[in-house]
Amino acid sequence: DAKTTQPPSMDCAEGRAANLPCNHSTISGNEYVYWYRQIHSQGPQYIIHGLKNNETNEMASLIITEDRKSSTLILPHATLRDTAVYYCIVRVAGGGNQAGTALIFGKGTTLSVSS
Amino acid sequence: ETGVTQTPRHLVMGMTNKKSLKCEQHLGHNAMYWYKQSAKKPLELMFVYNFKEQTENNSVPSRFSPECPNSSHLFLHLHTLQPEDSALYLCASSHTAGVSYEQYFGPGTRLTVT
């Protein structure tokens, strides 16, 4: 079973920030938070990941609470092309035999961006 | 374009046919994965390969047979499939060293078993 909880769906107006929450209350100290998204009928796309500090890249920002039990993915200016299913996944970073550990996907949040 | 390609993109096969799905990655990764995504279900892991060695088989029926001849190529051989095996089959790859293990996915093969 997935170790995260996400709302099944969210709506966002084009140009506004989309804030997608994720609860991971049982996260372990060596587990990272990863975010992927899947646009309809395509393969999942890596977005961002973090351990405990907030992270930002060209796609999004990741805000992790101090107790690490929840996080929020922020798309600062959502566009129609950001409509997708967003998955929050926790897993160990890897090393040795854990390097090939697969991702465990839940049902994710379906984000609908409308004009 | 993620650097992971899959062929064919679409496949229709009968239950008595034998076919193969191909995945190739151009990212210099050493780990490769097969996932299955059935309609309205989460992605399910099928197999994991690290440095060409199978390290995980997620209780997949023997009618699915993976092959990893080198770190850049991964095949999924299919025979005597059932209609419920119709799904999107996704290949992914990742590094096996360092901190970042983000997986890069191919576009998938949409399989229909008739």
Side-chain angles (χ1 to χ4, degrees):
Chain A
D1 292 337
K3 299 196 294 185
T4 62
T5 304
Q6 299 177 253
S9 63
M10 293 184 66
D11 295 319
C12 181
E14 190 176 22
R16 304 298 294 268
N19 298 301
L20 293 96
C22 179
N23 287 322
H24 31 79
S25 58
T26 61
I27 192 169
S28 301
N30 63 344
E31 287 183 315
Y32 284 64
V33 180
Y34 282 78
W35 282 84
Y36 283 76
R37 73 179 182 184
Q38 187 175 22
I39 296 171
H40 182 62
S41 294
Q42 297 182 21
Q45 176 190 23
Y46 165 79
I47 301 174
I48 198 167
H49 75 281
L51 182 62
K52 54 184 179 181
N53 296 323
N54 297 337
E55 301 288 344
T56 296
N57 63 20
E58 65 277 5
M59 290 183 69
S61 295
L62 174 60
I63 309 298
I64 302 174
T65 58
E66 191 169 345
D67 62 8
R68 302 208 325 121
K69 293 185 177 181
S70 66
S71 60
T72 301
L73 178 75
I74 300 173
L75 307 179
H77 305 287
T79 70
L80 298 178
R81 289 183 293 180
D82 292 322
T83 293
V85 180
Y86 288 76
Y87 299 99
C88 171
I89 300 165
V90 296
R91 55 160 284 179
V92 294
N97 290 333
Q98 296 174 329
T101 302
L103 300 167
I104 299 176
F105 287 81
K107 296 182 179 180
T109 296
T110 298
L111 175 67
S112 299
V113 181
S114 56
S115 57
Chain B
E1 179 58 49
T2 63
V4 181
T5 59
Q6 290 186 244
T7 55
R9 295 292 308 275
H10 299 272
L11 177 62
V12 179
M13 60 185 288
M15 289 189 285
T16 59
N17 291 159
K18 289 184 180 181
K19 296 287 184 183
S20 296
L21 309 185
K22 179 182 176 182
C23 175
E24 183 174 1
Q25 58 95 1
H26 311 275
L27 302 169
H29 291 161
N30 290 310
M32 296 189 76
Y33 313 76
W34 279 117
Y35 289 85
K36 173 184 177 183
Q37 187 171 35
S38 302
K40 301 188 178 180
K41 285 187 177 181
L43 278 82
E44 303 171 68
L45 173 70
M46 300 177 74
F47 303 102
V48 181
Y49 278 82
N50 262 332
F51 292 96
K52 305 186 296 180
E53 299 297 321
Q54 187 180 124
T55 56
E56 194 160 346
N57 177 336
N58 198 26
S59 303
V60 180
S62 59
R63 57 185 184 270
F64 294 92
S65 175
E67 178 190 2
C68 189
N70 55 61
S71 293
S72 298
H73 294 86
L74 184 64
F75 295 89
L76 188 62
H77 304 299
L78 316 170
H79 63 97
T80 59
L81 294 190
Q82 304 298 312
E84 59 265 29
D85 296 322
S86 299
L88 180 67
Y89 289 85
L90 291 156
C91 172
S93 69
S94 72
H95 284 297
T96 55
V99 174
S100 296
Y101 293 89
E102 55 264 32
Q103 294 181 14
Y104 292 85
F105 286 79
T109 295
R110 175 70 62 186
L111 173 67
T112 303
V113 181
T114 61

